[in-house]
Amino acid sequence: MNKELINYEVNGKTYEGLHAKPDSKNAPCILIAHTWAGRDGFVEGIATKLAEDGYNAFAIDMYGDGKVGNSNEENQSMMQPLLDDRKNLSQVVIGAYEAAKKLEEVDNSKIAIMGYCFGGLVSLDLARSGVDLKGAASFHGFLSGSEDLPDAEIQAKLLVLHGHLDPMVGLDQIESFTKEMDAKSVDWQLHAFGNAMHAFTNPEANDPSFGTVYSSDADQRSWKIFKDFLSEIFS
């Protein structure tokens, strides 16, 4: 397994993804969409883990030039413009998807995406774009749709892994998501973990007042469900 930084352009702006390569050739590819902090060590660790399991892992860059924030305020300032312009968000993640398809080692008929927090929404929006995608998984991600996005057919199977006590993703988002997916006849599933808040997969999350707390149980259980999901969509 080795890693390589991949530069790609979207609408004239340069982005920097990280490709973690498995030992096998022509393997499926999983895009990894980062949290509001940017393509940091957390998602690079996930990429390594997936490559060791035999997948091409492509940790994408939603902010440009591989930028990573250093504070909640900076993270918010990078994320918010994309949340306010979901059409642009969709174009950026589609650009990352197109870059992944061009990687020599990738079986581009078997591509999926996963994401964390903000990246969960990014993953779902790639599926909402209608591209040829096997699956999209959201770990404690935002779920709301947008009227700014085209009403495209969703080809991917969807997996939502949600902390029941997540103060950032309430029942309103869950209800709107399920109605949207049912209306589009999507193959979707949602797993809610009791006693789990936002960022339950991140061992460094320890801020109950902010709503971000690590849960080893939810982390392990969600990863098992995700691995089963990969086996299904790539079979």
Side-chain angles (χ1 to χ4, degrees):
M1 189 272 293
N2 60 75
K3 300 176 184 177
E4 180 183 7
L5 290 174
I6 303 292
N7 289 319
Y8 57 99
E9 286 194 4
V10 184
N11 295 334
K13 184 175 180 178
T14 300
Y15 295 82
E16 184 180 85
L18 177 75
H19 181 199
K21 307 175 186 180
D23 294 331
S24 56
K25 301 294 184 182
N26 203 38
C29 183
I30 303 166
L31 280 66
I32 308 167
H34 55 71
T35 71
W36 70 343
R39 186 182 53 73
D40 58 7
F42 175 76
V43 291
E44 291 188 12
I46 298 296
T48 298
K49 193 173 180 180
L50 289 170
E52 289 173 346
D53 284 341
Y55 298 103
N56 283 285
F58 189 52
I60 69 175
D61 172 16
M62 292 298 295
Y63 296 151
D65 298 320
K67 187 173 182 182
V68 175
N70 294 308
S71 67
N72 286 349
E73 292 74 21
E74 187 176 11
N75 296 344
Q76 184 71 36
S77 71
M78 294 189 296
M79 174 182 71
Q80 195 62 49
L82 289 168
L83 293 182
D84 291 341
D85 187 351
R86 295 283 287 278
K87 186 178 295 185
N88 182 45
L89 185 157
S90 183
Q91 290 174 351
V92 173
V93 68
I94 289 172
Y97 164 83
E98 295 294 343
K101 287 178 65 177
K102 296 175 183 176
L103 298 173
E104 288 185 8
E105 300 85 355
V106 166
D107 178 352
N108 60 22
S109 69
K110 293 183 177 181
I111 297 180
I113 186 170
M114 65 184 299
Y116 295 86
C117 307
F118 164 65
L121 180 67
V122 171
S123 297
L124 296 176
D125 275 9
L126 182 60
R128 288 180 172 113
S129 75
V131 299
D132 183 12
L133 195 67
K134 293 298 183 182
S138 165
F139 287 78
H140 41 81
F142 308 132
L143 305 176
S144 56
S146 172
E147 294 181 355
D148 294 337
L149 298 174
D151 186 20
E153 178 184 358
I154 295 177
Q155 302 186 56
K157 295 182 179 182
L158 303 186
L159 171 66
V160 172
L161 301 158
H162 170 67
H164 179 62
L165 301 181
D166 188 337
M168 303 180 195
V169 183
L171 288 175
D172 56 336
Q173 288 194 43
I174 293 175
E175 290 175 0
S176 67
F177 170 79
T178 57
K179 288 180 180 178
E180 175 192 1
M181 296 306 148
D182 284 347
K184 295 181 177 180
S185 300
V186 176
D187 183 339
W188 66 272
Q189 52 185 303
L190 186 151
H191 300 258
F193 302 98
N195 303 314
M197 302 179 77
H198 197 69
F200 61 76
T201 62
N202 188 344
E204 296 183 4
N206 185 27
D207 190 349
S209 64
F210 192 53
T212 56
V213 178
Y214 176 65
S215 167
S216 60
D217 286 342
D219 184 17
Q220 294 174 30
R221 291 167 182 169
S222 63
W223 190 256
K224 288 179 181 178
I225 293 169
F226 175 62
K227 291 296 294 294
D228 286 344
F229 180 68
L230 293 181
S231 296
E232 176 185 334
I233 63 175
F234 290 142
S235 62

